[in-house]
Amino acid sequence: MTAQIPSQQSATNPDADLLEKIRRQFDSAPYPRIPVEENPKDNTNYLYVHNLVTPYYLRTQKVTNTQGKVILDAGCGTGYKSLALALANPGAKIIGVDISPESIVFAQKRLQYHGINNVEFHVGLLEELPKLGMEFDYINCDDVLYLLPDPVAGLRGMQSVLKPEGIIRVNLHSSLQREWYYRAQNLFQFMGLMDSNPEETEIGIVRDIMKALKNDVILKKQTWNPINEEDNESILANHLLVGDKGSTIPQFFSLLQQADLEFISMVNWLRWDVMDLFKEPDDLPPFLALSLPELSTEERLHLFELLHPIHRLLDIWCGHPQPEKLLPISEWTDANWEKATIHIHPILKNPEFRTELTECVTQMRPLIISKFLSLTHEMVSIDSTMALCLVPLLEQPQPITSLIERWKQVRPINPVTLTPTDQKEAFDLVKLMLLRLEGLGYVMVEQP
Ligand SMILES: C[S@@+](CC[C@H](N)C(=O)[O-])C[C@H]1O[C@@H](n2cnc3c(N)ncnc32)[C@H](O)[C@@H]1O
Protein backbone atom coordinates (compact mmCIF):
# COMPACT_ATOMS: atom_id res chain seq x y z
CA MET A 1 0.00 0.00 0.00
CA THR A 2 2.94 2.33 0.55
CA ALA A 3 4.51 4.16 -2.38
CA GLN A 4 7.53 6.35 -1.90
CA ILE A 5 7.47 9.95 -3.14
CA PRO A 6 11.09 11.04 -3.45
CA SER A 7 11.76 13.79 -0.89
CA GLN A 8 13.28 17.12 -1.84
CA GLN A 9 17.06 17.37 -1.86
CA SER A 10 18.88 19.82 0.41
CA ALA A 11 20.68 21.36 -2.54
CA THR A 12 17.41 22.46 -4.18
CA ASN A 13 15.43 23.15 -1.04
CA PRO A 14 16.75 25.56 1.61
CA ASP A 15 14.04 24.33 4.01
CA ALA A 16 15.18 20.70 3.82
CA ASP A 17 16.86 20.82 7.25
CA LEU A 18 13.68 21.93 8.96
CA LEU A 19 11.65 19.30 7.09
CA GLU A 20 14.13 16.69 8.19
CA LYS A 21 13.84 17.82 11.82
CA ILE A 22 10.04 17.61 11.56
CA ARG A 23 10.23 14.13 10.03
CA ARG A 24 12.50 12.96 12.83
CA GLN A 25 10.23 14.45 15.48
CA PHE A 26 7.18 12.60 14.13
CA ASP A 27 9.11 9.39 13.42
CA SER A 28 10.21 9.25 17.05
CA ALA A 29 6.79 10.37 18.37
CA PRO A 30 4.04 9.65 15.81
CA TYR A 31 0.95 11.77 16.41
CA PRO A 32 -1.71 11.33 17.64
CA ARG A 33 -1.02 8.52 20.11
CA ILE A 34 -4.69 7.49 20.16
CA PRO A 35 -4.76 3.67 20.57
CA VAL A 36 -5.44 1.72 17.40
CA GLU A 37 -8.69 0.21 18.77
CA GLU A 38 -10.33 3.56 19.46
CA ASN A 39 -13.19 4.36 17.09
CA PRO A 40 -14.86 7.76 16.52
CA LYS A 41 -18.01 6.15 15.04
CA ASP A 42 -20.30 7.42 17.82
CA ASN A 43 -18.86 10.92 17.93
CA THR A 44 -21.34 12.68 15.64
CA ASN A 45 -19.77 16.12 16.09
CA TYR A 46 -16.42 14.72 14.96
CA LEU A 47 -17.91 12.88 11.98
CA TYR A 48 -19.92 15.98 11.02
CA VAL A 49 -16.79 18.08 10.39
CA HIS A 50 -15.11 15.21 8.54
CA ASN A 51 -18.10 14.72 6.24
CA LEU A 52 -17.70 16.31 2.82
CA VAL A 53 -21.46 17.00 2.73
CA THR A 54 -21.05 19.69 5.42
CA PRO A 55 -18.68 22.13 3.63
CA TYR A 56 -20.05 21.28 0.20
CA TYR A 57 -23.48 22.47 1.33
CA LEU A 58 -22.05 25.59 2.99
CA ARG A 59 -20.44 26.53 -0.29
CA THR A 60 -23.08 25.53 -2.85
CA GLN A 61 -26.44 25.12 -1.03
CA LYS A 62 -26.44 21.66 -2.63
CA VAL A 63 -26.27 18.23 -1.02
CA THR A 64 -23.61 15.93 -2.42
CA ASN A 65 -23.19 12.17 -2.26
CA THR A 66 -19.93 10.78 -0.84
CA GLN A 67 -20.05 7.60 -2.97
CA GLY A 68 -16.96 7.38 -5.24
CA LYS A 69 -15.40 10.60 -3.93
CA VAL A 70 -11.61 10.69 -3.50
CA ILE A 71 -10.39 12.19 -0.23
CA LEU A 72 -6.83 13.06 0.77
CA ASP A 73 -5.69 13.19 4.39
CA ALA A 74 -2.65 15.45 3.92
CA GLY A 75 -0.20 15.02 6.82
CA CYS A 76 -2.29 12.11 8.13
CA GLY A 77 0.01 11.23 11.06
CA THR A 78 -1.17 7.97 12.69
CA GLY A 79 -4.40 8.04 10.71
CA TYR A 80 -7.05 8.71 13.36
CA LYS A 81 -8.59 11.36 11.11
CA SER A 82 -8.20 9.14 8.04
CA LEU A 83 -10.38 6.68 9.95
CA ALA A 84 -12.90 9.42 10.77
CA LEU A 85 -12.92 10.45 7.07
CA ALA A 86 -13.59 6.85 6.02
CA LEU A 87 -16.46 6.49 8.53
CA ALA A 88 -17.99 9.89 7.78
CA ASN A 89 -17.89 9.48 3.98
CA PRO A 90 -19.33 6.08 3.03
CA GLY A 91 -18.16 4.87 -0.37
CA ALA A 92 -15.27 7.35 -0.61
CA LYS A 93 -11.65 6.36 -1.24
CA ILE A 94 -9.17 7.69 1.32
CA ILE A 95 -5.54 8.51 0.51
CA GLY A 96 -3.19 9.39 3.37
CA VAL A 97 0.15 11.16 2.89
CA ASP A 98 2.76 12.00 5.53
CA ILE A 99 6.44 12.87 5.62
CA SER A 100 7.01 10.42 8.48
CA PRO A 101 7.30 6.72 7.50
CA GLU A 102 6.70 5.60 11.11
CA SER A 103 3.43 7.52 11.23
CA ILE A 104 2.35 5.89 7.96
CA VAL A 105 3.03 2.40 9.35
CA PHE A 106 0.83 3.26 12.36
CA ALA A 107 -1.93 4.66 10.12
CA GLN A 108 -1.95 1.51 7.98
CA LYS A 109 -2.30 -0.66 11.09
CA ARG A 110 -5.15 1.52 12.36
CA LEU A 111 -7.25 1.34 9.19
CA GLN A 112 -6.55 -2.39 8.79
CA TYR A 113 -7.66 -2.99 12.38
CA HIS A 114 -11.02 -1.35 11.59
CA GLY A 115 -11.43 -3.40 8.39
CA ILE A 116 -11.25 -0.37 6.08
CA ASN A 117 -9.84 -1.38 2.71
CA ASN A 118 -10.65 1.49 0.37
CA VAL A 119 -7.54 3.35 1.51
CA GLU A 120 -3.94 3.93 0.42
CA PHE A 121 -1.06 5.48 2.34
CA HIS A 122 2.03 7.15 0.89
CA VAL A 123 5.18 8.58 2.43
CA GLY A 124 5.61 12.04 0.91
CA LEU A 125 5.49 15.79 1.20
CA LEU A 126 2.54 18.15 0.98
CA GLU A 127 4.66 20.36 -1.20
CA GLU A 128 5.07 17.50 -3.72
CA LEU A 129 1.49 16.21 -3.94
CA PRO A 130 1.28 16.47 -7.77
CA LYS A 131 3.75 13.54 -7.87
CA LEU A 132 0.89 11.30 -6.72
CA GLY A 133 -0.81 11.83 -10.09
CA MET A 134 -4.26 12.06 -8.48
CA GLU A 135 -6.97 14.70 -8.00
CA PHE A 136 -9.20 15.04 -4.96
CA ASP A 137 -12.78 16.01 -4.12
CA TYR A 138 -11.80 16.82 -0.55
CA ILE A 139 -8.49 17.42 1.23
CA ASN A 140 -8.23 17.27 4.99
CA CYS A 141 -5.08 18.99 6.25
CA ASP A 142 -5.47 19.14 9.97
CA ASP A 143 -2.79 20.36 12.39
CA VAL A 144 -0.07 20.37 9.72
CA LEU A 145 0.23 23.69 7.85
CA TYR A 146 1.70 25.64 10.79
CA LEU A 147 4.68 23.25 10.75
CA LEU A 148 5.62 23.86 7.12
CA PRO A 149 8.68 26.05 6.42
CA ASP A 150 6.66 27.65 3.61
CA PRO A 151 2.88 27.37 4.17
CA VAL A 152 2.12 28.88 0.74
CA ALA A 153 4.05 26.01 -0.90
CA GLY A 154 1.89 23.56 1.09
CA LEU A 155 -1.33 25.35 0.09
CA ARG A 156 -0.21 25.45 -3.55
CA GLY A 157 0.60 21.74 -3.41
CA MET A 158 -2.96 21.02 -2.28
CA GLN A 159 -4.55 23.56 -4.64
CA SER A 160 -2.85 21.93 -7.61
CA VAL A 161 -4.41 18.51 -6.89
CA LEU A 162 -7.88 19.79 -5.98
CA LYS A 163 -10.75 19.14 -8.43
CA PRO A 164 -12.58 22.28 -9.68
CA GLU A 165 -15.43 21.84 -7.14
CA GLY A 166 -13.15 20.35 -4.48
CA ILE A 167 -12.82 21.64 -0.92
CA ILE A 168 -9.82 21.85 1.42
CA ARG A 169 -10.06 21.84 5.19
CA VAL A 170 -6.89 23.41 6.56
CA ASN A 171 -5.84 25.18 9.72
CA LEU A 172 -3.11 27.27 11.29
CA HIS A 173 -2.26 27.86 14.92
CA SER A 174 -3.62 31.10 16.33
CA SER A 175 -0.75 33.38 17.38
CA LEU A 176 -3.11 35.20 19.77
CA GLN A 177 -4.49 32.12 21.52
CA ARG A 178 -1.09 30.38 21.74
CA GLU A 179 0.94 33.43 22.63
CA TRP A 180 2.28 31.85 25.82
CA TYR A 181 3.30 28.57 24.17
CA TYR A 182 5.35 30.58 21.64
CA ARG A 183 7.10 32.27 24.59
CA ALA A 184 7.73 28.82 26.09
CA GLN A 185 9.17 27.63 22.74
CA ASN A 186 11.41 30.74 22.63
CA LEU A 187 12.66 29.91 26.10
CA PHE A 188 13.43 26.28 25.28
CA GLN A 189 15.06 27.27 21.97
CA PHE A 190 17.19 29.74 23.94
CA MET A 191 18.17 26.88 26.26
CA GLY A 192 19.13 24.72 23.22
CA LEU A 193 16.48 22.06 23.87
CA MET A 194 15.11 22.34 20.33
CA ASP A 195 18.43 22.32 18.46
CA SER A 196 17.95 18.71 17.46
CA ASN A 197 14.96 16.40 17.80
CA PRO A 198 13.50 16.86 21.32
CA GLU A 199 13.03 13.47 22.97
CA GLU A 200 12.68 11.99 26.48
CA THR A 201 15.70 13.92 27.87
CA GLU A 202 14.46 17.32 26.66
CA ILE A 203 10.88 16.56 27.76
CA GLY A 204 12.24 15.64 31.20
CA ILE A 205 14.19 18.92 31.40
CA VAL A 206 11.06 20.95 30.53
CA ARG A 207 9.06 19.07 33.15
CA ASP A 208 11.74 19.61 35.84
CA ILE A 209 11.99 23.33 35.06
CA MET A 210 8.24 23.89 35.10
CA LYS A 211 7.79 21.95 38.33
CA ALA A 212 10.63 23.89 39.95
CA LEU A 213 9.08 27.28 39.14
CA LYS A 214 6.83 29.01 41.65
CA ASN A 215 3.17 28.63 40.68
CA ASP A 216 2.69 32.37 40.16
CA VAL A 217 5.47 32.69 37.56
CA ILE A 218 3.51 33.85 34.55
CA LEU A 219 4.89 31.39 31.97
CA LYS A 220 4.00 28.53 34.30
CA LYS A 221 0.57 29.93 35.08
CA GLN A 222 -0.23 30.27 31.38
CA THR A 223 1.23 27.04 29.97
CA TRP A 224 1.41 24.43 32.70
CA ASN A 225 -1.42 22.25 33.85
CA PRO A 226 -0.42 19.99 36.78
CA ILE A 227 -3.04 17.46 35.59
CA ASN A 228 -1.11 16.96 32.32
CA GLU A 229 2.39 17.20 33.72
CA GLU A 230 3.20 13.54 33.04
CA ASP A 231 1.82 13.81 29.48
CA ASN A 232 4.85 13.70 27.15
CA GLU A 233 2.68 14.18 24.05
CA SER A 234 1.29 17.46 25.37
CA ILE A 235 4.80 18.83 26.13
CA LEU A 236 6.02 17.83 22.64
CA ALA A 237 2.93 19.28 20.95
CA ASN A 238 3.23 22.59 22.79
CA HIS A 239 6.42 23.57 24.63
CA LEU A 240 8.80 21.71 22.29
CA LEU A 241 6.95 21.62 18.95
CA VAL A 242 9.59 22.00 16.23
CA GLY A 243 8.58 24.33 13.37
CA ASP A 244 5.41 25.61 15.10
CA LYS A 245 4.26 29.05 13.92
CA GLY A 246 1.26 31.20 14.82
CA SER A 247 -0.90 33.34 12.53
CA THR A 248 -3.75 35.80 12.61
CA ILE A 249 -6.84 35.86 10.42
CA PRO A 250 -5.42 38.56 8.06
CA GLN A 251 -2.21 36.56 7.68
CA PHE A 252 -4.20 33.42 6.87
CA PHE A 253 -6.33 35.23 4.28
CA SER A 254 -3.18 36.61 2.69
CA LEU A 255 -1.70 33.06 2.41
CA LEU A 256 -4.92 31.87 0.76
CA GLN A 257 -4.72 34.67 -1.75
CA GLN A 258 -1.10 33.82 -2.57
CA ALA A 259 -2.16 30.22 -3.25
CA ASP A 260 -5.16 31.32 -5.32
CA LEU A 261 -7.65 29.83 -2.88
CA GLU A 262 -10.94 31.31 -1.66
CA PHE A 263 -12.23 31.19 1.90
CA ILE A 264 -15.53 29.30 2.29
CA SER A 265 -16.22 29.17 6.03
CA MET A 266 -14.71 28.59 9.45
CA VAL A 267 -15.05 24.90 10.32
CA ASN A 268 -16.79 25.71 13.62
CA TRP A 269 -18.49 28.78 12.16
CA LEU A 270 -21.14 29.07 14.87
CA ARG A 271 -18.41 29.69 17.44
CA TRP A 272 -16.91 32.59 15.50
CA ASP A 273 -19.89 34.94 15.58
CA VAL A 274 -18.74 38.33 16.84
CA MET A 275 -22.33 39.24 17.78
CA ASP A 276 -22.29 36.46 20.40
CA LEU A 277 -19.65 38.40 22.31
CA PHE A 278 -22.05 41.21 23.22
CA LYS A 279 -24.47 41.23 26.14
CA GLU A 280 -27.15 42.85 24.02
CA PRO A 281 -26.44 42.41 20.30
CA ASP A 282 -29.50 44.50 19.45
CA ASP A 283 -28.31 47.41 21.56
CA LEU A 284 -24.67 47.96 20.58
CA PRO A 285 -22.72 51.18 21.21
CA PRO A 286 -23.47 53.47 18.21
CA PHE A 287 -19.93 53.24 16.80
CA LEU A 288 -20.20 49.45 16.54
CA ALA A 289 -23.83 49.45 15.45
CA LEU A 290 -22.83 51.59 12.47
CA SER A 291 -19.50 49.95 11.59
CA LEU A 292 -20.15 46.22 12.14
CA PRO A 293 -22.57 45.75 9.21
CA GLU A 294 -19.95 47.28 6.90
CA LEU A 295 -17.22 44.76 7.79
CA SER A 296 -16.10 42.01 5.42
CA THR A 297 -16.07 38.36 6.54
CA GLU A 298 -12.32 38.59 7.11
CA GLU A 299 -12.67 41.73 9.23
CA ARG A 300 -15.43 40.24 11.39
CA LEU A 301 -13.34 37.15 12.06
CA HIS A 302 -10.32 39.29 12.88
CA LEU A 303 -12.40 41.37 15.26
CA PHE A 304 -13.52 38.15 16.93
CA GLU A 305 -9.96 36.87 17.42
CA LEU A 306 -8.82 40.24 18.77
CA LEU A 307 -11.68 40.38 21.25
CA HIS A 308 -11.84 36.73 22.22
CA PRO A 309 -8.93 34.51 21.15
CA ILE A 310 -10.31 31.23 22.47
CA HIS A 311 -9.71 29.03 19.44
CA ARG A 312 -6.34 27.25 19.26
CA LEU A 313 -6.82 26.75 15.54
CA LEU A 314 -7.85 29.07 12.75
CA ASP A 315 -9.66 26.19 11.12
CA ILE A 316 -11.21 26.84 7.72
CA TRP A 317 -12.66 25.38 4.53
CA CYS A 318 -11.49 26.86 1.22
CA GLY A 319 -11.50 26.02 -2.48
CA HIS A 320 -10.85 27.37 -5.95
CA PRO A 321 -12.40 30.84 -6.39
CA GLN A 322 -16.00 30.55 -7.63
CA PRO A 323 -17.66 33.31 -9.66
CA GLU A 324 -21.19 32.70 -8.39
CA LYS A 325 -22.20 34.23 -5.04
CA LEU A 326 -25.26 32.59 -3.52
CA LEU A 327 -28.13 34.36 -1.79
CA PRO A 328 -28.02 33.45 1.93
CA ILE A 329 -31.04 31.35 2.91
CA SER A 330 -31.98 33.95 5.55
CA GLU A 331 -32.65 36.31 2.60
CA TRP A 332 -34.75 33.90 0.52
CA THR A 333 -38.23 34.95 -0.56
CA ASP A 334 -41.30 32.73 -0.08
CA ALA A 335 -41.06 31.90 -3.80
CA ASN A 336 -37.56 30.45 -3.18
CA TRP A 337 -38.82 28.45 -0.21
CA GLU A 338 -41.81 27.00 -2.05
CA LYS A 339 -39.45 25.22 -4.48
CA ALA A 340 -37.09 23.94 -1.77
CA THR A 341 -36.20 20.33 -1.00
CA ILE A 342 -35.28 19.53 2.59
CA HIS A 343 -32.57 17.08 3.66
CA ILE A 344 -31.59 16.00 7.14
CA HIS A 345 -27.80 15.94 7.63
CA PRO A 346 -26.65 12.35 6.90
CA ILE A 347 -24.72 12.18 10.18
CA LEU A 348 -28.10 12.21 12.00
CA LYS A 349 -29.27 9.11 10.14
CA ASN A 350 -28.28 6.79 12.97
CA PRO A 351 -30.34 4.33 15.04
CA GLU A 352 -30.12 6.35 18.29
CA PHE A 353 -31.48 9.50 16.68
CA ARG A 354 -34.23 7.57 14.89
CA THR A 355 -35.39 5.96 18.16
CA GLU A 356 -35.38 9.21 20.10
CA LEU A 357 -37.17 11.11 17.33
CA THR A 358 -39.88 8.42 17.09
CA GLU A 359 -40.38 8.41 20.86
CA CYS A 360 -40.55 12.21 21.13
CA VAL A 361 -43.12 12.44 18.36
CA THR A 362 -45.31 9.62 19.68
CA GLN A 363 -45.07 10.67 23.34
CA MET A 364 -45.45 14.36 22.46
CA ARG A 365 -42.32 15.50 24.26
CA PRO A 366 -39.65 17.94 23.03
CA LEU A 367 -36.71 16.59 21.05
CA ILE A 368 -33.38 17.75 22.49
CA ILE A 369 -31.62 17.56 19.14
CA SER A 370 -28.34 18.97 20.53
CA LYS A 371 -27.82 15.65 22.35
CA PHE A 372 -27.09 14.15 18.92
CA LEU A 373 -25.16 16.97 17.27
CA SER A 374 -24.12 20.20 18.89
CA LEU A 375 -22.28 22.91 17.01
CA THR A 376 -22.87 25.52 19.72
CA HIS A 377 -22.66 25.15 23.49
CA GLU A 378 -26.39 25.70 23.82
CA MET A 379 -29.14 23.15 24.29
CA VAL A 380 -31.35 23.01 21.17
CA SER A 381 -34.86 21.69 21.63
CA ILE A 382 -37.77 21.43 19.17
CA ASP A 383 -41.37 20.71 20.03
CA SER A 384 -42.87 17.38 19.04
CA THR A 385 -45.25 18.74 16.38
CA MET A 386 -42.32 20.31 14.59
CA ALA A 387 -40.10 17.27 15.14
CA LEU A 388 -42.59 15.17 13.20
CA CYS A 389 -41.49 16.98 10.03
CA LEU A 390 -38.06 15.34 10.49
CA VAL A 391 -39.43 11.78 10.48
CA PRO A 392 -39.80 11.31 6.69
CA LEU A 393 -36.41 13.00 6.14
CA LEU A 394 -34.73 9.96 7.68
CA GLU A 395 -35.97 7.96 4.68
CA GLN A 396 -35.39 10.48 1.89
CA PRO A 397 -35.32 14.22 1.12
CA GLN A 398 -38.75 15.86 0.94
CA PRO A 399 -40.17 18.88 -0.87
CA ILE A 400 -41.14 21.50 1.70
CA THR A 401 -44.73 21.25 0.44
CA SER A 402 -45.02 17.63 1.69
CA LEU A 403 -43.67 18.61 5.11
CA ILE A 404 -46.25 21.36 5.33
CA GLU A 405 -49.03 18.92 4.39
CA ARG A 406 -47.82 16.45 6.98
CA TRP A 407 -47.75 19.13 9.65
CA LYS A 408 -51.28 20.27 8.73
CA GLN A 409 -52.56 16.71 9.05
CA VAL A 410 -51.30 16.55 12.61
CA ARG A 411 -52.46 20.07 13.50
CA PRO A 412 -55.51 20.71 11.37
CA ILE A 413 -57.05 23.21 13.83
CA ASN A 414 -55.51 26.34 15.31
CA PRO A 415 -55.44 25.56 19.07
CA VAL A 416 -56.42 29.13 20.06
CA THR A 417 -59.10 30.10 17.53
CA LEU A 418 -60.22 26.52 16.79
CA THR A 419 -60.48 27.50 13.13
CA PRO A 420 -58.85 25.31 10.44
CA THR A 421 -55.08 25.81 10.10
CA ASP A 422 -54.60 27.83 6.95
CA GLN A 423 -51.88 27.26 4.38
CA LYS A 424 -49.99 30.50 5.16
CA GLU A 425 -49.85 29.77 8.90
CA ALA A 426 -48.52 26.24 8.24
CA PHE A 427 -46.00 27.47 5.65
CA ASP A 428 -44.66 30.20 7.96
CA LEU A 429 -44.30 27.92 10.96
CA VAL A 430 -42.58 25.11 9.08
CA LYS A 431 -40.32 27.58 7.26
CA LEU A 432 -39.33 29.22 10.55
CA MET A 433 -38.43 25.90 12.11
CA LEU A 434 -36.40 24.84 9.05
CA LEU A 435 -34.59 28.17 8.97
CA ARG A 436 -33.56 27.69 12.60
CA LEU A 437 -32.49 24.06 12.09
CA GLU A 438 -30.62 24.98 8.91
CA GLY A 439 -28.72 27.74 10.71
CA LEU A 440 -27.70 25.23 13.37
CA GLY A 441 -26.50 22.68 10.79
CA TYR A 442 -29.15 19.96 11.30
CA VAL A 443 -30.98 20.26 7.98
CA MET A 444 -30.04 21.39 4.50
CA VAL A 445 -32.33 23.32 2.20
CA GLU A 446 -31.75 22.87 -1.50
CA GLN A 447 -33.11 24.78 -4.50
CA PRO A 448 -33.87 22.89 -7.74
C1 LIG B 1 0.49 17.35 14.49
S1 LIG B 1 0.55 16.03 13.35
C2 LIG B 1 -1.12 15.94 12.77
C3 LIG B 1 -1.50 14.57 12.29
C4 LIG B 1 -2.95 14.45 11.80
N1 LIG B 1 -3.23 15.36 10.70
C5 LIG B 1 -3.91 14.72 12.92
O1 LIG B 1 -4.42 15.85 13.03
O2 LIG B 1 -4.17 13.81 13.70
C6 LIG B 1 1.39 16.74 11.98
C7 LIG B 1 1.72 15.71 10.90
O3 LIG B 1 2.15 16.41 9.74
C8 LIG B 1 3.24 15.71 9.16
N2 LIG B 1 4.00 16.67 8.32
C9 LIG B 1 4.66 17.77 8.73
N3 LIG B 1 5.19 18.43 7.68
C10 LIG B 1 4.82 17.74 6.58
C11 LIG B 1 5.06 17.91 5.18
N4 LIG B 1 5.76 18.95 4.74
N5 LIG B 1 4.53 17.01 4.33
C12 LIG B 1 3.82 15.95 4.78
N6 LIG B 1 3.57 15.72 6.10
C13 LIG B 1 4.07 16.61 6.97
C14 LIG B 1 4.00 15.19 10.36
O4 LIG B 1 4.84 14.11 10.04
C15 LIG B 1 2.86 14.80 11.31
O5 LIG B 1 2.48 13.46 11.15
Side-chain angles (χ1 to χ4, degrees), residues 19 22 26 31-32 75 77 81 98-99 124-127 142-143:
L19 283 172
I22 291 168
F26 287 101
Y31 181 93
K81 289 165 189 169
D98 201 286
I99 191 179
L125 292 174
L126 242 68
E127 297 85 339
D142 195 4
D143 266 316

Side-chain angles (χ1 to χ4, degrees), residues 9 16 78 89 98 129 169 425 432:
Q9 302 298 305
T78 63
N89 296 282
D98 201 286
L129 286 172
R169 182 255 178 111
E425 180 192 356
L432 206 65

Side-chain angles (χ1 to χ4, degrees), residues 19 22-23 26 31-32 73-81 97-100 103 124-127 140-144 146-149 241:
L19 283 172
I22 291 168
R23 185 195 61 74
F26 287 101
Y31 181 93
D73 194 7
C76 59
T78 63
Y80 191 68
K81 289 165 189 169
V97 170
D98 201 286
I99 191 179
S100 146
S103 303
L125 292 174
L126 242 68
E127 297 85 339
N140 181 67
C141 180
D142 195 4
D143 266 316
V144 181
Y146 52 77
L147 297 171
L148 266 50
L241 185 56

